[in-house]
Amino acid sequence: MKVLGIETSCDECAAAVVEDGRNVLSNVVATQIPFHAPFNGVVPEIASRKHTEWIYAVVREALDKAGIGPGDLGAVAVTSRPGLLGSLIVGLSFAKAFAWARGIPLVAVDHMKAHLYASRLRKAESPDEDPPPEYPFLGLLVSGGHTIICRADGFDDITVLGTTIDDAVGEAFDKVAKHYNLGYPGGAVIDRLAREGDDGAFRFPMPSLHKGEHRHDVSYSGLKNAVINQLGQFRVKKDAENHGEPRPEDIAASFQKTAVEILLRALFNAADDSGLSTVVAGGGVAANSRLRERLAERRNLRGVFPPPEFCGDNGAMIAGIGYQYLARGDRSPMSVTASARVEGFKKRYP
Ligand code: KG4
Ligand code: ZN
């Protein structure tokens, strides 16, 4: 069955067609980055307006690229939570109208569970690679709004083992980049700059969360504060070529090193404690090159990452997980609504 997936939870207006929950026939992502870049962050009202303007054309293009018409679709899947409310409502309302007009089922899905599903997708034109990872595995969900270490026993059966007690990891990347005017969005820029920098130029502190009930949790506000407000205190080396001024490349490399180590310390604790030896990553930060390298170095732990185009927000992961709900008989009513937050993901910390 071919499912249309619609994703408008933040600043990407996205639609895709996926067959049988795995084969991606098209994946269209219209990014709003140029419209938010002058503000160094997503402006919710601009995001909702752009989704309203673009959603029809994005869906149309997803169908055209898949080489199908609306009548070939078996169902519509759409993100209904979590995200920016005004943005979610655009995609959700469009999906409802589409499903009603075609007389096909609608299924509203969770954006973060969809991120974890992304590694099960394959591009239709690529030869059949590795089979999808078998459950159970450890999930590492890392985005602009969430940092979750979980145990996944099924596509919809997720137990949160650890989370951030303050900022999300992607948020820390974005805020550091914003403060030093490195560019927007921050994660990809820092990842790129870090390759030219010395990761030993600054030695930033790690949070002391490695014991007791916080063994699987992370914290980023201390690191963010150190990099933004107390940079000089953590300087190890001075760069003569830059007249003693800190080089943005060195700040990026040293920050990224610590940000990744914070994540991996909690993840490795969760792997040791759970006995699970496969980690499936998802979310925008899963595109980070250092995270991928460091995880690959760890013995006895297999890291599974979605292809880069399925790490950030996209409609394919929505259509993919949507198919699984449909296959077990789930349907969403036409009264289904959007939610900005999902309780379970910040279980212990409101
Ligand atoms: O999943 P996503 O596209 O949207 C949300 O659901 O939040 O994640 C966006 C986040 C942003 O914070 C962005 O800076 C970060 O992912 N990001 C990265 C990289 N690419 C995107 N962070 C680190 N390294 C990257 N290469
Ligand atoms: Zn996302």
Side-chain angles (χ1 to χ4, degrees):
M1 177 172 65
K2 295 182 182 72
V3 175
L4 171 67
I6 295 178
E7 155 62 43
T8 62
S9 69
C10 192
D11 60 343
E12 315 285 15
C13 188
V17 178
V18 177
E19 188 156 36
D20 299 337
R22 181 151 157 83
N23 297 325
V24 181
L25 305 182
S26 66
N27 187 39
V28 177
V29 180
T31 182
Q32 302 179 357
I33 286 172
F35 300 92
H36 300 288
F39 306 94
N40 275 317
V42 179
V43 182
E45 191 167 320
I46 295 177
S48 318
R49 285 175 196 273
K50 283 288 155 202
H51 287 311
T52 305
E53 206 178 312
W54 291 352
I55 185 72
Y56 169 77
V58 166
V59 168
R60 187 80 254 178
E61 192 179 333
L63 294 178
D64 289 348
K65 286 201 165 143
I68 63 169
D72 299 313
L73 291 167
V76 185
V78 60
T79 308
S80 65
R81 62 196 184 278
L84 300 171
L85 207 53
S87 292
L88 287 165
I89 287 170
V90 177
L92 185 57
S93 301
F94 190 93
K96 284 184 185 183
F98 195 107
W100 187 40
R102 301 303 318 171
I104 55 178
L106 171 78
V107 63
V109 309
D110 182 307
H111 180 84
M112 296 311 294
K113 287 180 181 169
H115 269 306
L116 193 57
Y117 188 86
S119 62
R120 313 185 86 72
L121 300 169
R122 64 181 284 281
K123 285 175 268 182
E125 72 275 13
S126 65
D128 217 349
E129 339 71 28
D130 298 341
E134 275 176 32
Y135 297 104
F137 52 70
L138 274 180
L140 179 65
L141 285 170
V142 279
S143 71
H146 294 87
T147 311
I148 298 164
I149 293 171
C150 60
R151 178 193 166 96
D153 285 282
F155 74 93
D156 187 40
D157 187 359
I158 285 163
T159 311
V160 178
L161 302 176
T163 180
T164 177
I165 63 164
D166 40 55
D167 298 342
V169 55
E171 193 181 344
F173 273 87
D174 294 337
K175 288 193 174 151
V176 166
K178 180 174 179 173
H179 181 81
Y180 289 105
N181 250 321
L182 303 179
Y184 172 85
V189 175
I190 288 180
D191 195 352
R192 205 166 48 240
L193 273 180
R195 278 175 220 147
E196 315 294 323
D198 175 0
D199 64 12
F202 299 87
R203 196 178 305 128
F204 295 119
M206 297 276 287
S208 45
L209 280 174
H210 47 291
K211 293 192 277 280
E213 57 163 341
H214 288 305
R215 270 174 63 75
H216 308 144
D217 291 332
V218 297
S219 160
Y220 282 98
S221 72
L223 174 62
K224 182 186 71 182
N225 197 33
V227 180
I228 292 179
N229 298 318
Q230 305 160 329
L231 189 68
Q233 286 181 37
F234 300 102
R235 194 135 171 214
V236 181
K237 300 176 193 164
K238 288 200 161 62
D239 190 317
E241 284 174 43
N242 206 31
H243 311 290
E245 281 302 302
R247 296 170 64 228
E249 293 84 351
D250 294 345
I251 299 173
S254 307
F255 159 75
Q256 176 173 272
K257 177 185 178 185
T258 312
V260 168
E261 289 318 307
I262 291 172
L263 204 52
L264 291 182
R265 186 175 66 182
L267 181 71
F268 294 159
N269 283 344
D272 290 346
D273 297 347
S274 67
L276 296 172
S277 57
T278 299
V279 176
V280 176
V285 185
N288 186 265
S289 55
R290 187 174 180 106
L291 175 64
R292 288 174 176 238
E293 285 157 21
R294 290 281 293 116
L295 204 48
E297 283 165 21
R298 174 85 174 187
R299 275 185 292 144
N300 305 328
L301 206 56
R302 182 170 74 108
V304 179
F305 288 87
E309 64 265 49
F310 303 140
C311 281
D313 293 346
N314 66 85
M317 64 184 192
I318 306 304
I321 196 171
Y323 171 84
Q324 302 299 339
Y325 284 109
L326 292 156
R328 77 174 190 195
D330 288 12
R331 305 282 184 273
S332 296
M334 278 294 168
S335 58
V336 64
T337 192
S339 332
R341 293 178 193 283
V342 175
E343 284 306 309
F345 288 154
K346 294 196 175 166
K347 213 156 51 186
R348 284 171 287 162
Y349 310 98

